[in-house]
């Protein structure tokens, strides 16, 4: 077995750390924010919004308006107009609401109006375009024929899966899930799930019927307001037996035995309980305070 050169190994590790540190500095310095827009002059760039470095292709930024607290991932392309240095008039072409996340490598091509509502989340490599090639003339190369343009609108609260394609003329409602790899055209109603190419509605929620077809898994339980990170760490240290006993006590409380259940829960979470110790004792104290 060849003998390892300790000096060379140490030097290689040092060089690796230097490269990673330098790249992290470049990413921090090269990111675009309202306070540090660099060469970009967006129509508006909201507070807390950050475009990660390295950026993809960006042009027509005077007609691009980004809301507050958006995250634009690395290599994301944002364009307004067919090409740079065009005068597109007084109105915004690409509007992105507050709290939008655009995943790495996504493209938003706005040759005519594209609107993305607030709190939309895009996975990586999503493609949104308001322009499509035309092929009316069978004697001309498709790339030389004048394209068709139609506005695109994505409602607030949507989740757009990895690799989805949103075509010109798409009208996506509020709180819509677009499955990974779906190709969306036309109108999608509020509170729907679409999948496939072309995308079709595979599930929808209405006030009268709820989700149809019904969801196969129970809804996740949100963390209650006021719960601290220390309490979550304490819960993670409980064993399965203790968790099961707590669940039984919660059922008793819902059945009207709240005082007895609360006291019993404190006993279960005491230091002597299985999986007890400091986390369980802290939870017992929290219960008695509540």
């Amino acid at each position: 077995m060849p003998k390892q050169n300790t000096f060379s190994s140490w030097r290689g590790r040092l060089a690796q750390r230097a490269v990673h540190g330098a790249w992290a500095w470049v990413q921090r310095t090269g990111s675009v924010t309202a306070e540090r827009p660099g060469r970009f002059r967006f129509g508006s760039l909201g507070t807390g919004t950050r475009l990660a470095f390295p950026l993809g292709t960006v042009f027509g930024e005077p007609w691009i308006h980004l809301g507050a607290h958006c995250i634009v991932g690395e290599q994301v392309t944002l364009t307004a107009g067919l090409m740079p240095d065009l005068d597109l008039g007084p109105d915004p072409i690409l509007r992105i609401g507050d709290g939008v996340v655009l995943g790495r490598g996504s493209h938003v091509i706005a040759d005519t109006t594209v609107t993305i509502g607030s709190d939309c989340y895009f996975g990586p490599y999503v493609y949104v375009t308001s322009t499509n090639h035309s092929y009316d003339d069978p004697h001309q190369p498709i790339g030389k024929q004048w394209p068709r343009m139609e506005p695109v609108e994505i409602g607030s609260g949507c989740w757009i899966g990895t690799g989805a394609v949103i075509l010109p003329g798409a009208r996506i409602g509020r709180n819509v899930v677009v499955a990974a790899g779906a190709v969306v055209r036309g109108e999608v109603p509020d509170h729907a799930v679409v999948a496939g190419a072309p995308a079709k509605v595979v599930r929808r929620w209405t006030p009268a019927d709820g989700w149809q077809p019904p969801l196969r898994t129970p809804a996740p339980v949100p963390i209650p307001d006021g719960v601290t990170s220390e309490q979550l760490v304490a819960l993670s240290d409980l064993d399965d037996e203790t968790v099961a006993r707590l669940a039984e006590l919660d059922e008793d409380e819902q059945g009207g035995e709240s005082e007895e259940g609360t006291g019993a829960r404190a006993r279960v979470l005491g230091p002597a309980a299985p999986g007890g110790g400091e986390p369980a004792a802290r939870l017992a104290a929290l219960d008695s305070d509540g």
Side-chain angles (χ1 to χ4, degrees):
M1 183 175 179
K3 186 176 180 180
Q4 186 178 11
N5 187 322
T6 305
F7 178 74
S8 297
S9 176
W10 174 83
R11 187 169 56 183
R13 290 196 300 270
L14 184 62
Q16 183 186 51
R17 291 183 61 183
V19 168
H20 283 279
W23 180 244
W25 178 85
V26 168
Q27 287 180 304
R28 290 193 302 270
T29 305
S31 63
V32 174
T33 64
E35 296 74 24
R36 300 177 62 181
R39 66 177 179 85
F40 298 102
R41 296 295 179 264
F42 289 98
S44 62
L45 187 58
T47 302
T49 290
R50 180 179 293 270
L51 286 75
F53 182 87
L55 284 72
T57 300
V58 178
F59 63 75
E61 59 269 23
W63 292 272
I64 299 175
H65 290 236
L66 292 96
H69 305 292
C70 295
I71 299 173
V72 180
E74 295 179 13
Q75 299 289 353
V76 169
T77 288
L78 300 174
T79 66
L82 283 168
M83 61 189 69
D85 302 323
L86 296 178
D87 185 351
L88 303 177
D91 299 322
I93 301 297
L94 172 56
R95 299 180 180 90
I96 297 176
D98 297 336
V100 172
V101 176
L102 299 178
R104 177 189 181 96
S106 293
H107 288 60
V108 184
I109 310 299
D111 296 333
T112 188
T113 304
V114 172
T115 303
I116 299 173
S118 296
D119 300 313
C120 286
Y121 293 79
F122 288 52
Y125 307 109
V126 172
Y127 192 89
V128 180
T129 180
S130 62
T131 302
N132 210 348
H133 294 290
S134 60
Y135 49 89
D136 301 73
D137 188 343
H139 306 294
Q140 286 289 330
I142 293 172
K144 292 184 177 181
Q145 298 187 44
W146 192 254
R148 285 187 170 87
M149 301 180 188
E150 293 183 75
V152 171
E153 185 174 347
I154 300 174
S156 61
C158 290
W159 172 266
I160 314 295
T162 300
V165 177
I166 314 298
L167 293 175
R171 296 284 190 275
I172 299 176
R174 296 175 55 252
N175 285 32
V176 169
V177 175
V178 176
V183 179
V184 182
R185 58 181 301 178
E187 188 166 346
V188 177
D190 295 347
H191 309 295
V193 180
V194 297
K200 299 183 183 300
V201 175
V202 297
R203 179 172 278 120
R204 189 180 177 191
W205 181 90
T206 62
D209 301 323
W211 283 107
Q212 295 298 327
L215 299 175
R216 294 190 296 269
T217 56
V221 179
I223 298 172
D225 293 338
V227 174
T228 66
S229 58
E230 290 80 6
Q231 292 169 0
L232 292 175
V233 170
L235 284 171
S236 69
D237 288 339
L238 298 180
D239 63 15
D240 292 341
E241 182 182 352
T242 305
V243 171
R245 293 172 67 185
L246 286 172
E248 292 177 4
L249 293 172
D250 281 337
E251 290 177 0
D252 291 342
E253 286 189 17
Q254 293 174 6
E257 303 176 14
S258 58
E259 292 184 4
E260 182 179 351
T262 300
R265 184 195 295 147
R267 290 193 296 276
V268 170
L269 291 174
E278 183 185 354
R282 284 187 303 189
L283 281 176
L286 290 169
D287 265 334
S288 63
D289 291 343

